[in-house]
Amino acid sequence: MSLKANPRRKTLGRKIAAARSQAGMTQGQVAKALKVVQSTVSAWEKGRRRLPSDRAEELDALFDCGGAINRAWNAANEPDALPPWYTEVGQLEREATELREYQPVIFPGLIQCENYARGLLADTVPWFSPKEIDQMVSLRMARQEVLERQENRPLVSIVVEEPVLRRTVQGGGPILREQLACVIGLIERSEIRFQVIPSDAECHPGGSGPFRLYTFPDKPVVASAEHMEGEQLMDGMMQVQHCATLFGVLQAEALSPRASRELIRKVKEELDDEA
């Protein structure tokens, strides 16, 4: 699935198109050489799809352009640039009519309060500068606009593992209490449907890791899976169907929304007593 271009990818795309033209090749010829579909090459040139680093090297060799594509790729991905997937997730959420997410480790980004998001990022990307973390927090908070819409609000269903409710981030218990209160508020305002898989659940179908499903009014369903480098989009029919089936199984193993809400309240009260 191709996304709207961002300025850095558009600049890289123009470099690719110029190098291809100079090499006297068509998009079809490039696609055949790299064993991808022509629409992928077109999306790279328009800046609508992220170009993997290994593909940049292949294009550089294919066009024999003396490292120009590699240099352009490095410029598009220099340290002060936010990860491309970080803004892509927000775009998908804005366009979706239904969002489904499973998280075994942390509260999903869409429902994080600002202090929890900041503490989590400080833990998980300690090599980022304060400015970069500020940017990421701001974008994460902006994503929550979809939950506040009066019209066309997406149906949001979230399933997490019970340890998520008790795992602290940088800042400790006070931040976790704030996050739990935030989730309770979202549930009570009917902005999300939230379920917890208890720690003593006999079946544990979520071992493959966190993932999301995005349903759109005019496009096929898209899935995404998190990994160490960020977010990988999947639009293959079998991949999406596998994620949809797995999400249904996870919901079946989870507590009901009402029981999940009461468990969150209980955990928060325990933290309040410890404070």
Side-chain angles (χ1 to χ4, degrees), residues 93-97 146 149-155:
E93 289 169 344
R94 287 190 297 274
E95 297 178 0
T97 55
V146 302
R149 292 177 188 165
Q150 297 302 310
E151 297 180 0
N152 301 319
R153 180 191 299 168
L155 175 63

Side-chain angles (χ1 to χ4, degrees), residues 184-219:
I184 292 170
L186 291 169
I187 294 170
E188 292 181 340
R189 293 191 298 274
S190 300
E191 294 179 9
I192 62 171
R193 179 184 175 89
F194 192 91
Q195 292 178 262
V196 179
I197 298 179
S199 296
D200 59 0
E202 293 183 5
C203 179
H204 191 287
S208 59
F211 64 91
R212 299 183 180 93
L213 286 156
Y214 308 86
T215 301
F216 306 98
D218 55 354
K219 294 188 284 284

Side-chain angles (χ1 to χ4, degrees), residues 42-57:
S42 176
W44 287 338
E45 293 189 358
K46 292 177 180 177
R48 294 183 179 274
R49 177 169 293 183
R50 183 185 182 189
L51 177 71
S53 60
D54 58 336
R55 291 299 193 184
E57 294 176 359

Side-chain angles (χ1 to χ4, degrees), residues 83-101:
W85 60 268
Y86 207 84
T87 52
E88 290 170 357
V89 168
Q91 181 185 326
L92 291 170
E93 289 169 344
R94 287 190 297 274
E95 297 178 0
T97 55
E98 182 179 2
L99 302 167
R100 288 169 282 175
E101 179 165 359

Side-chain angles (χ1 to χ4, degrees), residues 119-140:
L120 178 65
L121 289 167
D123 284 340
T124 56
V125 284
W127 52 88
F128 273 30
S129 69
K131 179 181 177 181
E132 289 169 326
I133 289 181
D134 285 345
Q135 287 179 297
M136 295 179 80
V137 170
S138 294
L139 281 171
R140 189 163 291 186

Side-chain angles (χ1 to χ4, degrees), residues 21 31 38 67 70 89 92 95 112 137 142 151 159 164 182 192 223 237 251-252:
S21 178
Q38 184 173 333
N70 274 325
V89 168
L92 291 170
E95 297 178 0
Q112 291 173 7
V137 170
E151 297 180 0
V159 177
V164 170
C182 175
I192 62 171
M237 185 172 64
Q251 283 185 305

Side-chain angles (χ1 to χ4, degrees), residues 36-266:
V36 298
V37 295
Q38 184 173 333
S39 61
T40 295
V41 178
S42 176
W44 287 338
E45 293 189 358
K46 292 177 180 177
R48 294 183 179 274
R49 177 169 293 183
R50 183 185 182 189
L51 177 71
S53 60
D54 58 336
R55 291 299 193 184
E57 294 176 359
E58 291 174 1
L59 288 171
D60 211 277
L62 182 64
F63 300 150
D64 191 23
C65 54
I69 302 299
N70 274 325
R71 288 191 295 273
W73 188 93
N74 289 333
N77 293 274
E78 60 188 8
D80 66 342
L82 290 176
W85 60 268
Y86 207 84
T87 52
E88 290 170 357
V89 168
Q91 181 185 326
L92 291 170
E93 289 169 344
R94 287 190 297 274
E95 297 178 0
T97 55
E98 182 179 2
L99 302 167
R100 288 169 282 175
E101 179 165 359
Y102 167 67
Q103 268 287 356
V105 180
I106 60 172
F107 284 100
L110 184 61
I111 62 170
Q112 291 173 7
C113 68
E114 183 171 346
N115 286 330
Y116 182 91
R118 190 175 301 280
L120 178 65
L121 289 167
D123 284 340
T124 56
V125 284
W127 52 88
F128 273 30
S129 69
K131 179 181 177 181
E132 289 169 326
I133 289 181
D134 285 345
Q135 287 179 297
M136 295 179 80
V137 170
S138 294
L139 281 171
R140 189 163 291 186
M141 294 303 99
R143 287 167 53 192
Q144 296 179 8
E145 176 272 334
V146 302
L147 301 177
E148 301 166 358
R149 292 177 188 165
Q150 297 302 310
E151 297 180 0
N152 301 319
R153 180 191 299 168
L155 175 63
V156 179
S157 300
I158 293 169
V159 177
V160 304
E161 299 288 340
E162 183 176 345
V164 170
L165 308 184
R166 306 175 191 276
R167 182 171 290 111
T168 59
V169 298
Q170 192 169 122
I175 304 300
L176 181 57
R177 290 202 307 273
E178 183 181 350
Q179 177 61 42
L180 292 170
C182 175
V183 173
I184 292 170
L186 291 169
I187 294 170
E188 292 181 340
R189 293 191 298 274
S190 300
E191 294 179 9
I192 62 171
R193 179 184 175 89
F194 192 91
Q195 292 178 262
V196 179
I197 298 179
S199 296
D200 59 0
E202 293 183 5
C203 179
H204 191 287
S208 59
F211 64 91
R212 299 183 180 93
L213 286 156
Y214 308 86
T215 301
F216 306 98
D218 55 354
K219 294 188 284 284
V221 178
V222 172
S224 67
E226 289 190 22
H227 54 86
M228 188 172 181
E229 294 298 318
E231 195 92 1
Q232 179 177 352
L233 298 180
M234 300 176 289
D235 52 11
M237 185 172 64
M238 292 304 295
Q239 292 174 311
V240 172
Q241 184 58 52
H242 172 76
C243 290
T245 300
L246 184 55
F247 192 83
V249 175
L250 289 163
Q251 283 185 305
E253 292 299 323
L255 299 173
S256 70
R258 178 177 295 180
S260 297
R261 181 186 60 189
E262 293 311 307
L263 178 57
I264 297 171
R265 289 188 187 279
K266 178 183 176 182

